[in-house]
Amino acid sequence: MKNWKNKLAVSMLGLLLSACGNTPKESAQEAPDLQTPVQVTLAGHHDMASYIDLNASATYLEKSNIKASINGYLRDMKVKMGDVVNSGQVLFSLVTKEAQAIGNSINRLDPGFKFSGTSNIRAAQAGFITMVNHQKGDYVTEGETLAVLSNKSSLVFLLDVPYAMRQNLVNNAVVMLTLPDGEKLKGTIAAPLATVDSIAQTQRFIIRVNPVHAIPENLVAVARVINVAHPNALTLPKSALLSNETEDEFWVMKLINDSTAVKVIVKKGIDDGKQIEILSPAFSSNERFVLTGNYGLADTAKVKIKP
């Protein structure tokens, strides 16, 4: 019985070893590499510029004092504060105190004489009435200011710029002004004024505009000034650029063939929100870069280009 059990154990061990020995070896075929689906893009060339936004306030450089031409009473006032007037328009009528006293008597004696003693004050130029100093019936003396007229064509925006940034304005011939309601005006930068604020160390520039409607004085607009400009710069779409957490290192994933992307460290330049300037290295126009699907890709990653 004992021998039988031993023989049975030996037989089972043999079968087990035989089974292990006869197990077919799997082929040494490796699992295919995981390929990340990506979209690709090419490098391009665009005119790139960075901007600085500064505040500019509206003002009228030319303001005329409308003065009384004679001593007398204000018989009629045809304007009020805020009115828009045209060149040659009658603004005030004055009558001398003598005419006030005897004018009607003379006309009754001789109607053909047509004595009135009235003097009309007219606008020398088109503009806006920004101040009225008297009311109807007041007695005024010759040369006294009746109102203040702002010349409509003298509208400018005044821009105070730190002196260290003055060259930015000198290099700009045209700037775009954005009003609080979103309206945009194209402005031309004139020569700077020959004074600097002693405390703020800012220099004032005049921006000339040609609006299609009245602009109120002291309105503050935002002037977008070119800070740096690089014409025909090498650029990539913003989504093609990757960075570390501290954003002090930047790279792109460049395709070296249809299925492999490698990490290339780059130095970025101007960023306009859509395109990013690549300062170095220099890429050719036919090199391909991963546009989408690049996040988290390791160096020498396997990729699959999506149509």
Side-chain angles (χ1 to χ4, degrees):
M1 184 68 176
K2 185 176 181 180
N3 291 335
W4 181 81
K5 290 182 177 180
N6 289 338
K7 290 180 180 180
L8 180 61
V10 171
S11 299
M12 292 180 66
L13 180 61
L15 290 173
L16 181 62
L17 293 175
S18 176
C20 291
N22 292 334
T23 301
K25 295 182 179 180
E26 295 182 358
S27 63
Q29 181 181 3
E30 296 181 356
D33 293 331
L34 180 64
Q35 291 181 316
T36 303
V38 298
Q39 288 182 320
V40 299
T41 185
L42 301 176
H45 288 83
H46 299 86
D47 294 338
M48 299 293 289
S50 63
Y51 298 88
I52 300 174
D53 290 340
L54 301 170
N55 289 336
S57 58
T59 189
Y60 290 90
L61 292 181
E62 299 177 9
K63 295 182 179 180
S64 304
N65 290 327
I66 302 170
K67 298 182 178 182
S69 56
I70 59 173
N71 297 331
Y73 295 95
L74 273 173
R75 169 175 285 184
D76 195 9
M77 295 178 59
K78 300 185 181 298
V79 291
K80 60 183 180 297
M81 187 172 175
D83 282 355
V84 179
V85 300
N86 299 316
S87 178
Q89 180 179 335
V90 175
L91 307 179
F92 301 97
S93 293
L94 294 174
V95 59
T96 62
K97 60 181 179 180
E98 294 80 10
Q100 184 89 341
I102 66 173
N104 292 334
S105 300
I106 294 176
N107 286 330
R108 281 197 298 269
L109 292 174
D110 186 0
F113 190 67
K114 297 182 180 179
F115 175 78
S116 67
T118 300
S119 176
N120 291 327
I121 310 297
R122 299 178 181 272
Q125 57 196 2
F128 311 90
I129 301 297
T130 55
M131 184 179 295
V132 177
N133 297 332
H134 290 279
Q135 58 186 358
K136 185 176 180 179
D138 284 357
Y139 179 80
V140 297
T141 59
E142 183 179 355
E144 188 173 349
T145 299
L146 305 178
V148 177
L149 174 68
S150 295
N151 184 356
K152 185 178 180 180
S153 63
S154 69
L155 173 69
V156 298
F157 281 84
L158 299 180
L159 183 66
D160 291 322
V161 180
Y163 190 80
M165 294 172 53
R166 69 179 300 275
Q167 196 61 40
N168 294 25
L169 272 293
V170 173
N171 293 337
N172 281 260
V174 177
V175 295
M176 188 62 68
L177 296 168
T178 303
L179 304 186
D181 62 354
E183 180 184 357
K184 295 186 181 299
L185 290 176
K186 184 179 290 186
T188 303
I189 297 179
L193 302 184
T195 57
V196 172
D197 186 282
S198 60
I199 298 177
Q201 288 296 290
T202 56
Q203 188 172 20
R204 178 161 289 183
F205 284 76
I206 295 175
I207 302 176
R208 302 193 181 278
V209 294
N210 187 25
V212 296
H213 60 85
I215 300 294
E217 195 167 22
N218 299 321
L219 181 71
V220 177
V222 175
R224 172 152 285 193
V225 179
I226 295 177
N227 182 28
V228 179
H230 292 162
N232 199 35
L234 175 69
T235 64
L236 281 171
K238 189 171 183 176
S239 58
L241 190 73
L242 301 169
S243 70
N244 58 8
E245 292 181 357
T246 56
E247 294 191 352
D248 57 3
E249 185 180 66
F250 300 90
W251 66 90
V252 295
M253 300 301 296
K254 185 178 77 169
L255 270 70
I256 57 175
N257 54 46
D258 289 340
S259 61
T260 306
V262 296
K263 178 179 178 180
V264 180
I265 302 296
V266 299
K267 182 179 180 181
K268 78 165 190 172
I270 298 172
D271 179 355
D272 68 1
K274 295 181 180 179
Q275 297 285 326
I276 293 181
E277 178 186 16
I278 305 298
L279 297 176
S280 65
F283 295 121
S284 63
S285 58
N286 60 351
E287 289 183 292
R288 296 175 297 173
F289 302 88
V290 179
L291 179 64
T292 62
N294 52 2
Y295 183 77
L297 282 183
D299 192 7
T300 319
K302 294 297 183 180
V303 297
K304 181 179 180 181
I305 300 175
K306 294 193 298 184

